[in-house]
Amino acid sequence: MASETPSVESTLKQAAAYFRDKFGKDPNLAACAPGRVNLIGEHTDYNEGFVFPMALPMVTVVVGSKNDAGKCRVLTKAEGVDAPHFIEFPPHSEATPLSPGTPKWANYFKGVIANFPGTVPAFDAVIVSTVPVGGGVSSSAALEVATFTFLQQLCPDDGQNVKTMQKVLACQKAEHDFANVPCGIMDQYISTMGKASHALLIDCRSFEGRLVPMTDPDVVVLVTNSNVKHELNGSEYPTRRRQCESASKTMGKKSLREAADLTPDQLADFKDHIDSETFRRIRHVITEIQRTEEAAGVLENGDYKKFGQLMVASHNSLRDDYEVSCSEVDQLVEAAMEVEGVFGSRMTGGGFGGCTVTLLKREAVDKCIQNMKNRYTGTATFYVCPASDGARSLQL
Ligand code: GLA
């Protein structure tokens, strides 16, 4: 059976109760931001390409209020994060600038404060999350964007004038500078701008988004967490990014997006100028950008069969050319594809473990989960996910 995602309301209630417990008063501000699943368009965002994610019903909630203690005090109740779970630090200022350190979870939080366009006063806060940590569904972006949205309530004068894209970029910068991950724009963008019942085609060159309805009651998105996390991704992600950037330079292009209209024959011309590994990397990015743009149109027309084929082609390309999948995730994709009523399945997110995303008929969900369970050598967790809303303030 699929796991039930607790409602935002119940997560909020829980967060408020933890806050009362810890600080002996009620919080008066609250915000949340969701995790995401990417339907197609992987490792294309930092190449200025297209991505096609949707926001998940799993969210990170931040509740809190200003204090007179002269310091910021933050407690996390998120599962699977490193200790200590309670931190204290002076408000960010020129005299006491925030810097990254341990615990790691706090870097996302502090990074957002450091990049908030305004003066953040001393406050108390509690974090609660239903986004699985380290599962490739952007628990980090959910924390960043929830924190930023919370700060917008805490500092309304500065917060209300922030443009949406400025918010997305500030959260991305927090991840670059404080978590040392040179991520693209997808996760913070969708966590900020997701819309219920829609997937969002994001052009990572112009930052324009196009909402595509996902309202067919007979078709669902199944997210499957392999519950494996290979430590590789610490260095592999920046390496892939560097390979892409140096290849686009060699090709005389600003980014690989500029090469996305190359036909397979034109692309093959570059074979002699680039080593074979880099060639496979750019072949993935270029074909993935093409697939993603096509996929949005195909979904708009309700052609799930074709959409599913594009998902599988994406997975194969990530596995063989970009080499960011792993045997556990491959097993889950293969098992899903054996079931009647499954349109497509693929790895989602950065790779090296984490989740798969499967598009399938609602009536096939139980069979699909059963087959994945039977075939998978590990223990997976399953979530049937309606496309959900992006970040928002919450009423206590
Ligand atoms: C991670 C990054 C994103 C994106 C994906 C791969 O989730 O945070 O920016 O690059 O990997 O598509």
Side-chain angles (χ1 to χ4, degrees), residues 36-37 42 132-139 222-231 233 315 324-333 346-357 372 376 379-383:
R36 64 97 187 94
V37 65
E42 220 65 81
V133 168
V137 287
S138 282
S139 56
L222 174 67
V223 174
T224 304
N225 192 347
S226 68
N227 291 311
V228 296
K229 190 171 184 265
H230 293 288
E231 285 308 320
N233 52 349
H315 181 76
V324 291
S325 189
C326 63
S327 61
E328 293 89 341
V329 165
D330 294 343
Q331 267 177 26
L332 289 171
V333 167
R346 56 181 288 277
M347 61 153 275
T348 185
F352 306 108
C355 288
T356 66
V357 57
M372 286 167 112
Y376 186 43
T379 307
T381 323
F382 302 89
Y383 308 89

Side-chain angles (χ1 to χ4, degrees), residues 36 38 41-46 138 183-187 237 349-350:
R36 64 97 187 94
N38 191 18
E42 220 65 81
H43 289 277
T44 47
D45 60 353
Y46 52 84
S138 282
C183 62
I185 199 73
M186 166 167 69
D187 305 345
Y237 188 94

Side-chain angles (χ1 to χ4, degrees), residues 208-231:
E208 266 163 47
R210 185 170 115 219
L211 286 165
V212 176
M214 292 192 69
T215 43
D216 190 333
D218 299 329
V219 175
V220 297
V221 171
L222 174 67
V223 174
T224 304
N225 192 347
S226 68
N227 291 311
V228 296
K229 190 171 184 265
H230 293 288
E231 285 308 320

Side-chain angles (χ1 to χ4, degrees), residues 145-166:
V145 176
T147 303
F148 196 107
T149 311
F150 170 74
L151 296 181
Q152 285 177 291
Q153 320 302 309
L154 190 72
C155 317
D157 291 345
D158 299 316
Q160 67 190 355
N161 292 323
V162 176
K163 301 247 176 359
T164 316
M165 217 38 229
Q166 191 186 356

Side-chain angles (χ1 to χ4, degrees), residues 291-303:
R291 277 188 290 272
T292 305
E293 202 178 6
E294 183 181 358
V298 156
L299 192 67
E300 233 155 17
N301 295 331
D303 189 348

Side-chain angles (χ1 to χ4, degrees), residues 39 66 70 81 85 91 103 136 144 147 159 178 199 201 269 275 307 342 344 347 354 369 374 383:
L39 300 175
K66 280 187 190 156
V81 301
H85 292 172
E144 290 151 7
T147 303
F178 274 65
L201 180 73
D269 288 344
D275 66 90
F307 192 88
V342 171
M347 61 153 275
I369 292 179
N374 293 347
Y383 308 89

